[in-house]
Amino acid sequence: MAALAGCSSNTDGDAPTAENDPGVVSGDGSYGSWPMERYNARNRLSVPHSGLDGEPEVLWTVEFDSPGDILPPVVYEDTAYVSESRGAYTAIDLEDSGIVWEYESDGWVTPAVSETAVFVSGDGIEALNHKNADVLWTTDHDDSVETLRIYDDIVYAGIGNHVVAIDSKGDEQLEFETAATIQSLAIDEKYIYVRAQPNEDKNDFIIAGYDRKSGKRRWDHEISHAEQWSDDRLTKTFPVIDKNVYTVTNDAIISIDSDNGNRQKVTELDQSSWTRPAIYDNTAYLERGAMAYDLETGEPPNEWDPEVSSDTPLVVADGTGYTIDSAGVTDPHKLIAVDPKSGEMIWEKRASEQLGFHIPIVLNEMIVIMQDSVQDSHKLVGYG
């Protein structure tokens, strides 16, 4: 088993870059990269991109006639990679929305992408060529891949109730068993963090920390919380910021010290949150209650007086927060930009029709959003 090297993480007020965080994958594209499900290996939603200066226009729309769910894209070198529940993967040029390639497999997962390959679920983990989807290698696992992360050029996958680490050549570097079926992962210099679900019919979960080199379990906690019925992916992931894991329970935001597993309550909640917390500048953001909570006091920041509500975790880019406002039961959703210090709305862009929105993928001078309709029709929309 090879030792897995890494570097120290940056502070939570700074957006991560490939130079200061080996859990980030950067490329040469003009729009920037979003290489994993929640941007980087630590599920951080503060990104080193410019976002948009003002109210955007729709640049292009790509429609998918998929008979099931579809996942938000990942982005690498100006290409978006989309996964559909029927096992189809599609690469889309962000400049003109042209289809670069399509690939079908037996698995469904949000891809992860690095300079080595596009990693998808199929015959275990499958590594695909960026330009043409040629299969470079597979791991031949029998169980489907539930989640993927990349840290320091190592691909980490949750496969059933096992964590597997694979190097860029497809060779296994680490494998260990967890307590239950894995929902999501986070990786940093020292640890692998796992969220697992013992019973898919119950909202009970296990958060555990494992040594990144040996796979030895260091601590675990049982938590319970409600999940949003329409998109449980909003609560599956959890950010790891400054050596602390942040997540929610039915009545609180909690933090877990990555070294010793010490669990603390950040603040109590009047209602269960349907999204994971997003952490930025020592503040935890949610879609419920006051929506923003100081990590030290557990209270809303003094300047915080939000003008709008939020349905998705806040994504922060260049000092601006981006999220989705449901705007009511019958009205179309709105993409909104807010000041993360005050909650003041900077601009809004209403959708042309009533659709379900996924988390906004905020890039340089572009935002990409997957939108769902009730007729199994999906749209990937580029705003700029």
Side-chain angles (χ1 to χ4, degrees), residues 188-228:
D188 66 12
E189 177 191 8
K190 296 171 66 176
Y191 305 117
I192 300 169
Y193 308 92
V194 174
R195 172 182 159 121
Q197 187 176 23
N199 186 333
E200 64 179 9
D201 296 324
K202 295 183 178 181
N203 291 328
D204 299 322
F205 311 93
I206 298 172
I207 300 284
Y210 298 83
D211 185 273
R212 193 168 74 88
K213 294 182 179 180
S214 68
K216 181 180 179 180
R217 182 175 57 83
R218 297 182 56 86
W219 51 261
D220 61 61
H221 290 280
E222 296 181 0
I223 63 171
S224 298
H225 64 78
E227 291 192 303
Q228 187 172 157

Side-chain angles (χ1 to χ4, degrees), residues 238-264:
F238 50 91
V240 179
I241 307 293
D242 288 344
K243 300 181 180 181
N244 281 284
V245 176
Y246 292 92
T247 189
V248 293
T249 66
N250 279 324
D251 58 4
I253 302 173
I254 63 170
S255 66
I256 303 171
D257 187 290
S258 64
D259 286 325
N260 57 32
N262 183 39
R263 171 175 168 171
Q264 293 186 330

Side-chain angles (χ1 to χ4, degrees), residues 22 33 59 96 116 157 174 187 200 230 249 254 259 276 287 291 307-308 359 379:
S33 295
L59 301 176
D96 60 11
T116 299
L174 179 69
I187 319 291
E200 64 179 9
S230 61
T249 66
I254 63 170
D259 286 325
R276 49 151 277 177
E287 103 293 0
M291 296 171 57
E307 295 182 350
V308 293
I359 187 171
K379 297 180 180 180

Side-chain angles (χ1 to χ4, degrees), residues 26-33 49 75-79 94 363-364:
S26 63
D28 296 328
S30 58
Y31 294 110
S33 295
H49 302 147
V75 174
Y76 182 76
E77 294 194 346
D78 296 343
T79 302
L94 290 182
L363 305 168
N364 293 322

Side-chain angles (χ1 to χ4, degrees), residues 93-206:
D93 190 316
L94 290 182
E95 188 65 35
D96 60 11
S97 72
I99 304 300
V100 179
W101 52 253
E102 294 176 298
Y103 177 78
E104 292 194 7
S105 75
D106 295 328
W108 180 48
V109 73
T110 299
V113 59
S114 72
E115 64 179 12
T116 299
V118 182
F119 302 98
V120 303
S121 175
D123 188 7
I125 306 168
E126 297 189 2
L128 308 181
N129 182 285
H130 300 96
K131 295 182 179 180
N132 56 25
D134 284 351
V135 178
L136 305 178
W137 49 257
T138 69
T139 61
D140 299 326
H141 288 91
D142 292 331
D143 294 329
S144 63
V145 178
E146 301 293 335
T147 186
L148 290 165
R149 298 292 183 275
I150 300 171
Y151 189 93
D152 207 20
D153 296 325
I154 300 293
V155 180
Y156 294 84
I159 303 178
N161 66 334
H162 286 76
V163 172
V164 178
I166 307 293
D167 67 19
S168 60
K169 296 180 180 179
D171 296 326
E172 184 176 292
Q173 301 297 306
L174 179 69
E175 187 272 340
F176 61 87
E177 186 175 355
T178 63
T181 301
I182 297 169
Q183 282 197 319
S184 63
L185 299 172
I187 319 291
D188 66 12
E189 177 191 8
K190 296 171 66 176
Y191 305 117
I192 300 169
Y193 308 92
V194 174
R195 172 182 159 121
Q197 187 176 23
N199 186 333
E200 64 179 9
D201 296 324
K202 295 183 178 181
N203 291 328
D204 299 322
F205 311 93
I206 298 172

